[in-house]
Amino acid sequence: MTVLDELLQSNAEFLLKNQVQPEKLSKKPRRQIALITCMDTRLVGFLEEALGIQRGDAVIIKLAGAVAGNSLDAALRSLMLAIYELDVKEIIVVGHHDCGALQTSPHRLKDSMRLQGIEANWIEQFEHSILSWLDDLTEVESEVLKLVGALRQNPLIPSTVRIHGLLIDPVRGEAALLHSGYHC
Ligand SMILES: [Zn+2]
């Protein structure tokens, strides 16, 4: 059975168990928050529970590294919708310990692309963004603060939107406050 088969089978079982009409949820996050966090597998179905976030509470934007390098550009499109269409009033950048993006070597990434048959000219075209993205990364705390600062400076984000920074342990789920946006 392929993974896709497994997912579809799980879906059929899910539908059988959930015959009752589901609660009607709004697209707009009830708690008016957007989280920017990492795509790390350890945070799947864990981050929300660790922070007490229920279905319908928040917009969650997931990016490799979340807080790393040029994440601002990658996050901005989603944030514009979140703020101007979905009434988000607070943005929370959530970095995590042991982040794969901060441990990735651009050279190893390029080697792997080559081994998987990607043509050299495409790798070259991509190289600039890979190197500038991955080489600029420092430790996760400063990456969170860098992204919080870049969001705060961004002229497309209203000054009334609060921007916070958290750091979470992907094993224990302990969250540390790196920056509160309530006083600035
Ligand atoms: Zn990560």
Side-chain angles (χ1 to χ4, degrees):
M1 195 190 268
T2 65
V3 172
L4 189 57
D5 290 333
E6 288 169 7
L7 297 179
L8 291 172
Q9 185 181 318
S10 296
N11 182 248
E13 289 164 10
F14 173 84
L15 290 174
L16 278 178
K17 274 187 281 172
N18 291 276
Q19 298 286 6
V20 284
Q21 199 60 28
E23 180 197 353
K24 191 113 176 79
L25 285 175
S26 165
K27 294 194 286 289
K28 295 188 177 184
R30 206 164 20 215
R31 293 166 80 182
Q32 297 190 304
I33 54 175
L35 270 65
I36 304 175
T37 190
C38 185
M39 65 181 193
D40 192 295
T41 56
R42 293 167 296 177
L43 300 179
V44 175
F46 182 70
L47 175 80
E48 294 84 350
E49 197 187 345
L51 296 177
I53 293 171
Q54 306 290 321
R55 185 166 179 251
D57 273 353
V59 166
I60 299 191
I61 302 165
K62 292 200 164 194
L63 303 165
V67 295
N70 64 358
S71 290
L72 178 62
D73 295 339
L76 208 53
R77 200 176 299 178
S78 301
L79 281 177
M80 291 299 98
L81 293 181
I83 294 168
Y84 295 108
E85 290 285 314
L86 303 175
D87 298 340
V88 159
K89 304 284 184 224
E90 304 193 32
I91 299 168
I92 308 158
V93 177
V94 188
H96 69 97
H97 293 290
D98 190 32
C99 183
L102 275 73
Q103 294 153 5
T104 300
S105 135
H107 300 289
R108 199 172 60 227
L109 198 62
K110 279 195 293 177
D111 284 347
S112 181
M113 290 170 89
R114 217 173 286 130
L115 280 171
Q116 298 201 41
I118 306 301
E119 286 176 27
N121 59 322
W122 288 109
I123 297 176
E124 254 166 58
Q125 284 188 38
F126 192 48
E127 188 171 353
H128 177 67
S129 56
I130 297 174
L131 288 174
S132 62
W133 175 50
L134 291 169
D135 274 352
D136 285 350
L137 304 182
T138 55
E139 81 273 28
V140 68
E141 287 89 345
S142 52
E143 292 299 329
V144 170
L145 294 174
K146 233 192 278 177
L147 183 56
V148 168
L151 291 167
R152 188 65 292 160
Q153 300 293 317
N154 193 287
L156 293 170
I157 298 176
S159 58
T160 49
V161 169
R162 306 292 191 185
I163 305 171
H164 317 288
L166 290 181
L167 183 62
I168 195 158
D169 179 333
V171 181
R172 292 185 55 233
E174 183 182 8
L177 178 66
L178 295 183
H179 179 82
S180 162
Y182 291 127
H183 307 296
C184 57

